[in-house]
Amino acid sequence: HKTLAVGEKLENFVYDSANGLGKTLNGNTKTFIVFSRFYDCELCKVLLASFTAAYPLFKAMGYEIKFVLQNDVNTLSQYQKKYPFELVADPEFRLYDKYNVFVADSIVNMVAGDKMFETAVGKNVYKLLDTDMVDSLNNAMGPAPETLEGPKDNQLCAFFAVDKDMNVTYSHYSK
């Protein structure tokens, strides 16, 4: 397991996608890597739409995008044609675990305190999330199941950029 920080090397990024199994980042181009949740997640669909819209800008800057999801290759193969970037399958959470993309301990903690979420929603989210009602609902639902058979509902996102030499030039772990 390795938490990626700016200046470190991204090593052994081996992945599966609709475009092939056991692929590796080749280092011929800069790459922006997004770790999200699972395809049917509404938050994930917003991220997919955002990166689809921003793809021409990334491409103009010389970046490819790899979008890591908790789904298997068969599921992602159904949707790959909708996106100009590669959807990466990680149903066994190997990449998530390898690069320390953690899971929040509650739905409230999944979004509260994260700078990217705060920017999108505004700081008033704390007033909404910091209530006894939300805590009661969250406690009543219990922890999300953490099995290899299903998605990790409280999966946090992470974003990394690497240059052609596989050096990390940007790193953001959602908290």
Side-chain angles (χ1 to χ4, degrees), residues 95-165:
L95 294 171
Y96 291 91
D97 291 343
K98 183 174 189 168
Y99 300 110
N100 290 333
V101 183
F102 296 115
V103 175
D105 60 2
S106 72
I107 191 70
V108 172
N109 289 336
M110 189 176 85
V111 296
D114 182 68
K115 296 287 185 207
M116 292 182 117
F117 184 84
E118 211 174 84
T119 300
V121 176
K123 292 190 179 194
N124 290 336
V125 70
Y126 291 109
K127 290 179 184 173
L128 172 66
L129 295 176
D130 190 21
T131 65
D132 291 336
M133 182 187 79
V134 172
D135 288 340
S136 296
L137 288 172
N138 186 50
N139 291 335
M141 291 188 292
E146 301 296 333
T147 65
L148 292 180
E149 293 79 35
K152 294 182 179 183
D153 288 334
N154 293 343
Q155 179 67 59
L156 295 169
C157 295
F159 307 87
F160 309 104
V162 295
D163 64 16
K164 292 179 181 181
D165 296 321

Side-chain angles (χ1 to χ4, degrees), residues 11-35:
E11 299 176 325
N12 303 316
F13 192 90
V14 179
Y15 65 95
D16 298 333
S17 75
N19 300 330
L21 304 178
K23 296 180 71 178
T24 59
L25 293 184
N26 57 21
N28 292 334
T29 186
K30 297 184 287 186
T31 306
F32 195 85
I33 303 165
V34 178
F35 280 85

Side-chain angles (χ1 to χ4, degrees), residues 24-54:
T24 59
L25 293 184
N26 57 21
N28 292 334
T29 186
K30 297 184 287 186
T31 306
F32 195 85
I33 303 165
V34 178
F35 280 85
S36 190
R37 297 173 74 212
F38 47 94
Y39 190 81
D40 290 330
C41 162
E42 292 302 319
L43 293 173
C44 181
K45 287 183 180 182
V46 169
L47 271 180
L48 282 163
S50 297
F51 277 92
T52 298

Side-chain angles (χ1 to χ4, degrees), residues 43-107:
L43 293 173
C44 181
K45 287 183 180 182
V46 169
L47 271 180
L48 282 163
S50 297
F51 277 92
T52 298
Y55 185 74
L57 178 61
F58 277 90
K59 195 72 172 161
M61 293 187 306
Y63 280 92
E64 288 296 326
I65 296 175
K66 305 295 180 194
F67 202 99
V68 183
L69 296 159
Q70 298 174 1
N71 302 89
D72 61 36
V73 170
N74 292 333
T75 300
L76 295 183
S77 293
Q78 300 171 42
Y79 306 108
Q80 181 60 68
K81 290 181 184 176
K82 293 173 66 173
Y83 302 99
F85 45 81
E86 194 168 26
L87 302 179
V88 174
D90 193 15
E92 295 176 355
F93 314 105
R94 289 184 183 133
L95 294 171
Y96 291 91
D97 291 343
K98 183 174 189 168
Y99 300 110
N100 290 333
V101 183
F102 296 115
V103 175
D105 60 2
S106 72
I107 191 70

